[in-house]
Amino acid sequence: MGLALGGAVALSGTVLAAPAEAAPSADTPVATTQLNYVAPAEIHYTWAGASGFRYQLGIWAHDFWADYPGVTPPEHAGPDDLATGTDVISSRSGATVTQQHRSTGATATVAVPVGQTYRAASGWSVVTQDAAGALHILRAAADGTTTDLPVTGFPSGAEPSTFVTGGSVRRLAVVSTVDGVASAGLIDLADGSFRTYITGVGASPRITFNDRWVVSGSKSIRVDSEPGTEPGTITTPYLGSAQAVVGDQLLAADPQFIPGGEKPQLTAVSLATGAKRIVLEDSDGAYTATPDGGLLATGGPSSSDWHVYRVLPRPDGDVSAEAVFTVAPNQARVSGLMMAGGELLMFGNATVNAGWDAAYAVPLDPTGKPTGTQVRRSPYVASSPCLSGDAACPQLEALGDGRFAFLYTGTDGKESVHVAGLTTDTYSTEPTGDSAGRLGTGTGRYVLYNGGTPGIQKVADFPRGADGETALDRGRTAAAVWGQRLWAPGTTQGSVVAYDLKAKKNVATVDTGAPCTPTDIQAVNTWLYWSCGSSGPAGVYDRATSRAIAVPAGQARLADGYLVRENRTTHELLLTDFHTGAATTRTVAVLPTADQNTGGNTGRWAVDRFGGNVAYLTDKGQVAIVTAGVPTSPLAQMEAQTDPQAGGPTLSSPWRPVWQLNKPSTWTLTLSTGSGTVVRTLTGSSTAAAVRPAWDGRRTDGTQAPRGTYTWKLTAAPRDGQGPDLALTGTTITD
């Protein structure tokens, strides 16, 4: 086991022209997804009000608007009603401040008098300072003039340094210095009175407030407290990251550095009781206090599930948080595609670190629609260099059990087959001793390798995620792996022989009717595809019905009842459905003229051989998914690893059987004594098309089951609802 390192113009007259060639009709995708950067898109709030907010994304200085869902916009009542200022946007040009009520579009204008300097705006109020240092509150009057309300109570000789808005449209915070001592106080914008609340706040204090509390550093005090009341002390490790006071709660984000294993959070500390609680898990982004006494905060478990939350006060002084906007993730470049067992695997670098390529999985329903968010499913991997003539690079092969294979070139120039996908920190490897090779097909534990040296062909075996071994070393021919069988040309023209990789012998010979020794063989379920070369002929043989079906020639990828090929001239992605015994072909997509990468299967399109559909890269670098529309084969076992767990099973070393099936399932595994008493029942859903339970040797009640022989029964139901359930049985021994 290896450790991963880390418009139109009108013309007079008539012009005759040749009719334009119609573009081929193509299937409409059932869904489109993309590879998302792991880091969430950075959002910056440029205004927040009672009806919605304005924001910018990343480094782009372009404003976007978002409305709160299900919120009735506040009505406009004018500057005489300060409360309606929670939805006012102010903009300043010289000595003129223009105010607009966003919900109604009503505007007002405040003219800053000569001799006064603009300091801040909150709601309908504009705060200025005159040459003598006195503060004023300006508001628009109904007749278009500007009213001037002097601020009273501001300390004589005080030098204001900071004006803080947010949290209220009735109040505004001012940090000022008298005789070298900095203090924080609030202006009551309704009557113009000022009161100092906290002294000794330091040179650059962080002030948060609402209509109930003022907080600076570790000190807090009620706004309605009696004059002379001393501030109280707050006990919380997040004081340096205080974001807002909402209700009776000080909301604080985690500090910049977080202990390993811990998640960033938005925490509430009650200023009334000192009680602490988590308001938002996974909250690590932008915050802004809102003039209606709330807070906007970003958060979520991943960039694919990243939201803006609106935190508002409750009547009891606590707070509530509701997701009001989804932040779209930034798109990363897809370098390779795989599909297997109802999973889409996108290969590429979703980080800002060069060379950090990995496979990211998105679960799909039977029609191909995503049912979950993107999750990294492999370590960061380095693949082999691209070879001239590769249809796709890097070379990738989805194995149908949650894993995928790729080639890696070592410092000695020799290649190894690597398999990854079950964990994000390990991979399995098997050296080939060769270089400049190509991956063939693979399923479950077995991967076919065609060496760069003429005549070399190997099958690498990766049982249960362990490091590999070479299961077969043979002369190179057309070949395919499906389950535990290798299919290769027989000794007579058109024959194909199945070699059992476990039994180490030939177990079947099929006469496909091919008029040549095939140059390409592929196998999926009972279907055998053969080709006599790029000019054909080509066909599919159905082992279940002994039918030979002619199909179009050309490099193709076999799936369950159909095959897909790309016309590199017309850029059509063509699906040939042969499940009825007659081949019919349709265009499922018209691919971009310019490749996003080197093209081809696993490059810019992919097929799910394990009961799935078709995916391809669009001209925008996104991944579109098309439903194949072909009935899938009945659920069947392809290979199984059910040998007992040596020295167990135990909690630390459970029995971990693997049943490789041909399509996704939901399953139930029962373990019974010889007399038929059920000891344990396990249930789950397959990883791609593989069933991977784990039994720790204990009964349902948690007690240890005695040593002995137990009968297991696996019942699997196809997730696509096509065909009967599958029942398998056998025994296992506990030590």
Side-chain angles (χ1 to χ4, degrees):
M1 183 72 68
L3 273 183
L5 307 175
V9 177
L11 298 177
S12 61
T14 302
V15 177
L16 299 178
E21 184 177 344
S25 60
D27 290 5
T28 300
V30 295
T32 302
T33 188
Q34 66 181 41
L35 178 61
N36 300 325
Y37 272 101
V38 172
E42 188 177 0
I43 190 169
H44 307 279
Y45 304 109
T46 58
W47 177 84
S51 63
F53 60 93
R54 186 175 61 194
Y55 66 96
Q56 294 178 354
L57 285 176
I59 63 173
W60 306 107
H62 179 76
D63 284 332
F64 300 91
W65 289 94
D67 294 315
Y68 300 133
V71 172
T72 301
E75 296 181 358
H76 171 253
D80 290 338
D81 186 350
L82 294 188
T84 65
T86 56
D87 214 38
V88 167
I89 305 169
S90 292
S91 60
R92 183 168 63 94
S93 177
T96 301
V97 178
T98 301
Q99 302 167 323
Q100 182 180 40
H101 192 262
R102 180 170 183 259
S103 303
T104 64
T107 61
T109 300
V110 173
V112 178
V114 175
Q116 295 185 17
T117 302
Y118 172 91
R119 292 303 187 196
S122 178
W124 296 114
S125 304
V126 174
V127 175
T128 62
Q129 187 177 11
D130 62 25
L135 303 178
H136 301 256
I137 302 170
L138 308 181
R139 276 194 286 271
D143 60 1
T145 62
T146 298
T147 65
D148 186 332
L149 176 65
V151 173
T152 61
F154 192 66
S156 177
E159 298 178 2
S161 58
T162 306
F163 294 81
V164 183
T165 61
S168 172
V169 290
R170 180 183 170 86
R171 292 176 171 84
L172 185 147
V174 181
V175 177
S176 60
T177 303
V178 178
D179 297 331
V181 178
S183 301
L186 297 179
I187 300 174
D188 188 321
L189 298 173
D191 61 16
S193 62
F194 175 88
R195 175 180 167 184
T196 298
Y197 284 94
I198 306 173
T199 59
V201 298
S204 301
R206 188 176 184 88
I207 308 297
T208 55
F209 69 96
N210 61 5
D211 288 329
R212 303 174 72 163
W213 296 88
V214 182
V215 176
S216 176
S218 63
K219 301 298 181 180
S220 66
I221 185 172
R222 288 275 308 197
V223 171
D224 59 0
S225 62
E226 291 293 329
T229 303
E230 288 296 321
T233 300
I234 313 167
T235 304
T236 175
Y238 308 131
L239 290 174
S241 299
Q243 303 296 335
V245 180
V246 180
D248 287 333
Q249 312 295 315
L250 176 64
L251 299 182
D254 284 339
Q256 183 175 1
F257 299 101
I258 305 168
E262 293 188 10
K263 296 180 178 180
Q265 299 166 338
L266 180 66
T267 304
V269 180
S270 174
L271 298 173
T273 68
K276 303 178 182 66
R277 76 175 183 90
I278 297 170
V279 178
L280 291 176
E281 296 277 9
D282 302 307
S283 181
D284 182 20
Y287 305 91
T288 191
T290 58
D292 55 358
L295 176 75
L296 292 184
T298 52
S302 71
S303 65
S304 303
D305 194 11
W306 193 247
H307 308 278
V308 173
Y309 288 83
R310 190 184 187 195
V311 185
L312 291 175
R314 299 194 322 208
D316 62 357
D318 205 342
V319 298
S320 62
E322 178 186 8
V324 295
F325 179 75
T326 298
V327 184
N330 289 326
Q331 180 182 337
R333 182 179 182 274
V334 176
S335 298
L337 285 178
M338 296 172 279
M339 294 182 81
E343 285 188 331
L344 171 67
L345 293 171
M346 295 175 288
F347 185 82
N349 190 346
T351 75
V352 296
N353 302 306
W356 285 31
D357 293 311
Y360 295 84
V362 175
L364 308 173
D365 71 10
T367 70
K369 295 178 181 178
T371 60
T373 57
Q374 166 186 311
V375 178
R376 181 162 66 92
R377 282 280 297 278
S378 79
Y380 298 110
V381 301
S383 56
S384 288
C386 296
L387 299 176
S388 175
D390 274 348
C393 191
Q395 297 180 63
L396 305 165
E397 180 71 5
L399 303 177
D401 63 351
R403 299 184 294 174
F404 69 98
F406 62 98
L407 290 181
Y408 171 77
T409 301
T411 56
D412 60 355
K414 301 298 183 180
E415 289 175 325
S416 296
V417 178
H418 282 200
V419 168
L422 293 184
T423 70
T424 59
D425 57 0
T426 60
Y427 58 85
S428 304
T429 183
E430 170 62 8
T432 68
D434 202 6
S435 58
R438 284 167 169 81
L439 283 177
T441 56
T443 58
R445 62 190 286 182
Y446 297 109
V447 182
L448 180 66
Y449 172 78
N450 293 313
T453 301
I456 288 182
Q457 189 172 71
K458 300 174 184 287
V459 177
D461 181 11
F462 298 90
R464 293 187 185 169
D467 270 339
E469 58 186 31
T470 298
L472 183 65
D473 194 336
R474 67 188 298 272
R476 181 171 177 174
T477 66
V481 170
W482 184 255
Q484 63 190 60
R485 292 184 176 184
L486 175 79
W487 294 87
T491 57
T492 60
Q493 180 176 285
S495 66
V496 178
V497 175
Y499 176 83
D500 192 299
L501 294 164
K502 285 185 173 180
K504 305 294 183 182
K505 63 180 181 179
N506 293 337
V507 293
T509 300
V510 176
D511 182 4
T512 67
C516 65
T517 298
T519 59
D520 184 17
I521 293 174
Q522 296 179 51
V524 172
N525 293 319
T526 62
W527 311 103
L528 281 175
Y529 168 81
W530 57 266
S531 174
C532 295
S534 60
S535 60
V540 173
Y541 186 84
D542 183 3
R543 294 188 293 112
T545 63
S546 301
R547 290 183 300 187
I549 309 163
V551 297
Q555 189 173 9
R557 184 69 162 172
L558 179 67
D560 189 9
Y562 67 97
L563 56 86
V564 175
R565 58 194 168 90
E566 177 185 353
N567 185 319
R568 296 287 285 171
T569 301
T570 66
H571 311 291
E572 292 174 87
L573 193 60
L574 304 168
L575 184 151
T576 299
D577 177 356
F578 51 74
H579 82 279
T580 63
T584 59
T585 299
R586 75 180 195 265
T587 300
V588 295
V590 178
L591 302 176
T593 301
D595 289 347
Q596 295 292 314
N597 44 42
T598 54
N601 173 56
T602 77
R604 63 174 186 165
W605 58 272
V607 178
D608 190 342
R609 298 177 295 148
F610 300 84
N613 303 298
V614 181
Y616 62 91
L617 280 174
T618 71
D619 56 357
K620 296 180 180 179
Q622 296 177 313
V623 180
I625 303 163
V626 176
T627 301
V630 180
T632 60
S633 297
L635 197 59
Q637 175 182 297
M638 299 167 59
E639 188 268 338
Q641 301 167 68
T642 61
D643 47 304
Q645 172 63 44
T650 63
L651 285 170
S652 61
S653 183
W655 179 49
R656 295 185 181 274
V658 180
W659 288 273
Q660 180 62 58
L661 307 185
N662 63 334
K663 62 180 182 179
S665 66
T666 55
W667 53 264
T668 299
L669 178 66
T670 59
L671 293 120
S672 307
T673 64
S675 63
T677 302
V678 175
V679 173
R680 187 76 177 269
T681 299
L682 302 172
T683 60
S685 184
S686 63
T687 302
V691 175
R692 294 179 176 274
W695 182 43
D696 58 10
R698 295 179 179 269
R699 301 184 181 94
T700 302
D701 62 5
T703 60
Q704 183 69 47
R707 297 176 180 177
T709 300
Y710 291 87
T711 298
W712 57 260
K713 181 179 180 180
L714 176 69
T715 303
R719 285 213 303 260
D720 63 9
Q722 297 185 40
D725 292 354
L726 175 68
L728 302 170
T729 190
T731 60
T732 187
I733 301 172
T734 61
D735 292 339

